[in-house]
Amino acid sequence: MNQQKPNILFIMADQLAAPALPAYGHPVVRAPHITSLAEAGVLFENAYCNSPLCAPSRFSLMTGQLPSRIGAYDNAAHFSAEVPTMAHYLRAAGYQTSLVGKMHFVGPDQLHGFEERLTTDIYPSDYGWTPDWENFAERPSWYHNMLSVVQAGTCETSNQLDFDEEVAFQSVRKIYDLARSEDKRPFFLLASFTHPHDPFAITPEYWHRYSDEEIDLPAVPQIPYDQLDAHSQRLHHVCAMDQYAQTEARIRNARHAYYGAISYIDDKVGQLLHALQVTGLGENTIIVFASDHGEMLGERGLWYKMSFFEWSARIPLIISAPNQFTPRRVRQNVSLVDLLPTLVAIATHDAPQSFAAPLDGHSLLPLLHGEAGQAADTALGELLGEGAIAPLVMIRNGRFKYIYSPPDPEQLYDLVADPHEMKNLASSPSHAQIRADFYVKMQAQWDIKTLHAQVLASQKRRHLVHKALSNGRHTPWDFQPHQDASQKYMRNHLDLNVLERTSRFPSPELPEPDGSKK
């Protein structure tokens, strides 16, 4: 491989809350491989998603731009092929780019800069999951509901497990293929798993890594409905949280399965790290570990995501390259939009970059080196999909978090004094100036009225398009992985000896023939 530029292995989990990891202080969960990555790398203590919803978060991550800038409003928002992604930038910088697993791309372009994609996605690529803010009372069948909690427990396999087993297999094989390849370009491999995303079901092997007695209950128990903030009340409707009682047994079972799923993902991380080690690629590979958003996991009586409380919006972010970055923990607020400029800076040795589109993120390279750099200590978030009825935005700056949506009272939390976000300071006289300063920042960042109109117009267009495309012949956009069987294993147009030697790693030496020479 080309030693002038580092390889990049980006490992993504799905719906993994930072507070649920031992590297972030969780006392129960066991994830030794992720912990070892954190101990050998740079761990960002206050990293946030830019939208607490799968597709918008991933589109934002890939482009370095906030969801509102690229129209990534919800899980059925079209991801335009003309928007440059980190795969485009790295590919232009000489990298071979491969995607394995979930990215929830919506629209005909299912590659977005990747040269190859080795699996299909677990979720649909069409407009069928478009919410309808003008008919909020109607709950579509695809919304989350509480069955994931009520039915939490063990299984031998599941839709999610089938998918992640394929992701792990293809990712490990790809690492071996890279080691055996004659392609000397550095690689960018994104391996994206779907666990520990609900439903909360895991195999007995991982369930029994934890005893029932050690499963902790939420730090903040269920808050009565009439004491919830307005957005949390909407989430109760969106996720039908009143359909089943949240008993202690159900909460413990769901958390038990979630912890088991984290250990499952941790083992998959271990498989990838092992493949890097035995192939010798690990010495020149930067490893990024992150999630798209978190999981409330019963905190406050809430589940899943779609809010800006810490368990939903704060995600793990670890960047490990012991030969480049001294292990440390970074406390500044950062977010997923910062990863594109960071990886481009790493790939180009921090040479000045001319980006083809405006970025909302900043390179974390100075922070990785222990410097202040451009760090603004600020993370921005937007929720423009289900659960909202108008744009819901968040600013985390310093120790404070500010949340705003036109139909709701403002929220302001001091996360140092109040890490569980129990005291809304927005109406506190002693914090009036802080609230006012955040309001000014919010107005400077977003034109909420215009954004609201743009979201409604997009929803209407997509509802019509989806209805039309559902009639007659169905032509799906879902990615179809292609495998050319004529080039796999042994075929008669291939030289058997060459094939066996080049497909074996390490490649054996070619010995001189034995016997007397004539």
Side-chain angles (χ1 to χ4, degrees):
M1 305 300 296
N2 186 335
Q3 298 301 306
Q4 298 304 309
K5 293 183 178 180
N7 308 309
I8 300 169
L9 172 62
F10 193 151
I11 307 172
M12 279 198 75
D14 191 352
Q15 208 156 300
L16 175 54
L21 283 176
Y24 287 84
H26 198 280
V28 177
V29 174
R30 290 182 276 277
H33 299 295
I34 298 172
T35 299
S36 69
L37 268 183
E39 291 173 346
V42 180
L43 179 146
F44 291 86
E45 295 183 351
N46 296 299
Y48 290 86
C49 64
N50 300 106
S51 180
L53 197 61
C54 294
S57 178
R58 290 164 183 269
F59 300 175
S60 195
L61 154 74
M62 288 297 297
T63 62
Q65 302 181 74
L66 289 173
S68 60
R69 189 186 291 275
I70 56 174
Y73 304 133
D74 51 63
N75 276 340
H78 183 83
F79 189 13
S80 173
E82 72 172 348
V83 181
T85 69
M86 63 175 62
H88 287 115
Y89 284 110
L90 292 174
R91 189 169 172 181
Y95 279 69
Q96 49 181 315
T97 56
S98 304
L99 170 60
V100 187
K102 174 183 175 178
M103 281 309 291
H104 208 153
F105 292 153
V106 176
D109 184 356
Q110 288 293 305
L111 290 174
H112 288 284
F114 289 99
E115 287 181 68
E116 61 176 355
R117 188 171 184 180
L118 301 180
T119 71
T120 190
D121 213 308
I122 192 169
Y123 287 153
S125 61
D126 58 30
Y127 298 154
W129 286 2
T130 303
D132 188 349
W133 282 2
E134 295 185 325
N135 291 286
F136 180 79
E138 183 178 339
R139 286 191 68 259
S141 62
W142 47 267
Y143 274 12
H144 278 83
N145 61 62
M146 290 298 288
L147 284 178
S148 288
V149 176
V150 173
Q151 297 174 337
T154 61
C155 64
E156 290 301 321
T157 191
S158 68
N159 183 51
Q160 314 286 107
L161 287 165
D162 288 348
F163 186 79
D164 276 351
E165 287 299 307
E166 183 180 1
V167 172
F169 172 80
Q170 293 287 1
S171 298
V172 169
R173 172 172 278 192
K174 182 60 185 178
I175 291 173
Y176 284 109
D177 287 345
L178 289 164
R180 295 179 289 193
S181 174
E182 295 183 354
D183 190 334
K184 301 305 180 185
R185 293 176 297 162
F187 68 79
F188 171 56
L189 172 59
L190 203 169
S192 183
F193 297 92
T194 193
H195 281 85
H197 192 292
D198 62 286
F200 303 121
I202 197 64
T203 60
E205 174 190 355
Y206 292 96
W207 178 275
H208 292 306
R209 291 194 183 184
Y210 303 89
S211 66
D212 293 336
E213 294 75 20
E214 66 182 321
I215 302 302
D216 56 335
L217 289 171
V220 180
Q222 184 171 2
I223 297 174
Y225 180 85
D226 60 0
Q227 297 177 26
L228 290 170
D229 63 277
H231 180 67
S232 294
Q233 289 181 345
R234 286 194 294 271
L235 292 181
H236 265 255
H237 164 70
V238 166
C239 298
M241 291 184 192
D242 61 347
Q243 189 172 6
Y244 298 98
Q246 294 192 39
T247 66
E248 181 175 316
R250 287 170 174 172
I251 294 170
R252 285 189 189 275
N253 281 344
R255 292 169 75 92
H256 195 153
Y258 186 80
Y259 295 172
I262 294 175
S263 293
Y264 170 81
I265 283 297
D266 186 73
D267 277 0
K268 299 307 178 189
V269 171
Q271 291 176 19
L272 297 178
L273 297 181
H274 175 75
L276 282 180
Q277 179 183 7
V278 298
T279 57
L281 295 176
E283 295 180 4
N284 192 41
T285 298
I286 291 173
I287 301 168
V288 180
F289 179 82
S291 180
D292 55 354
H293 51 73
E295 158 66 57
M296 286 302 293
L297 207 64
E299 296 288 334
R300 315 171 78 90
L302 299 177
W303 295 87
Y304 318 124
K305 54 266 188 176
M306 298 178 288
S307 83
F308 286 112
F309 292 119
E310 290 288 276
W311 277 76
S312 172
R314 188 157 69 94
I315 51 103
L317 177 58
I318 300 165
I319 300 178
S320 181
N323 295 333
Q324 293 197 38
F325 311 127
T326 303
R328 59 171 52 86
R329 299 176 78 95
V330 175
R331 299 195 65 181
Q332 283 94 329
N333 298 304
V334 301
S335 67
L336 289 176
V337 290
D338 296 323
L339 284 177
L340 183 150
T342 302
L343 296 182
V344 171
I346 289 171
T348 58
H349 302 291
D350 204 22
Q353 290 298 309
S354 176
F355 291 100
L359 298 186
D360 293 302
H362 299 285
S363 172
L364 301 177
L365 202 55
L367 293 176
L368 291 170
H369 288 302
E371 307 164 5
Q374 301 180 46
D377 200 20
T378 298
L380 303 176
E382 305 171 343
L383 180 64
L384 306 169
E386 62 264 30
I389 55 175
L392 180 74
V393 297
M394 180 275 290
I395 304 174
R396 170 75 200 267
N397 179 255
R399 63 191 290 165
F400 291 98
K401 179 192 290 182
Y402 174 78
I403 302 170
Y404 177 85
S405 185
D408 303 338
E410 295 165 276
Q411 297 178 69
L412 177 67
Y413 299 101
D414 180 345
L415 294 181
V416 174
D418 178 25
H420 296 307
E421 303 167 285
M422 296 298 294
K423 188 174 183 180
N424 182 4
L425 302 173
S427 60
S428 165
S430 60
H431 292 81
Q433 188 59 54
I434 295 174
R435 184 214 63 80
D437 290 344
F438 270 109
Y439 183 79
V440 171
K441 291 178 182 177
M442 181 276 298
Q443 286 189 310
Q445 178 65 47
W446 292 283
D447 180 345
I448 295 292
K449 184 177 180 180
T450 299
L451 177 57
H452 192 169
Q454 290 171 341
V455 172
L456 291 177
S458 174
Q459 290 177 357
K460 289 180 179 179
R461 290 193 302 268
R462 287 181 283 138
H463 282 137
L464 183 280
V465 170
H466 180 69
K467 180 180 179 181
L469 295 183
S470 298
N471 289 328
R473 179 185 297 174
H474 181 222
T475 305
W477 292 332
D478 304 296
F479 183 72
Q480 303 292 329
H482 174 72
Q483 294 187 347
D484 186 355
S486 69
Q487 301 298 321
K488 295 185 67 175
Y489 307 115
M490 180 57 206
R491 300 294 183 262
N492 281 327
H493 69 283
L494 303 175
D495 185 304
L496 176 62
N497 292 328
V498 172
L499 171 72
E500 296 293 352
R501 185 176 72 254
T502 57
S503 61
R504 178 174 165 179
F505 188 87
S507 181
E509 295 183 3
L510 187 63
E512 291 291 333
D514 294 332
S516 59
K517 296 182 180 180
K518 295 184 179 179

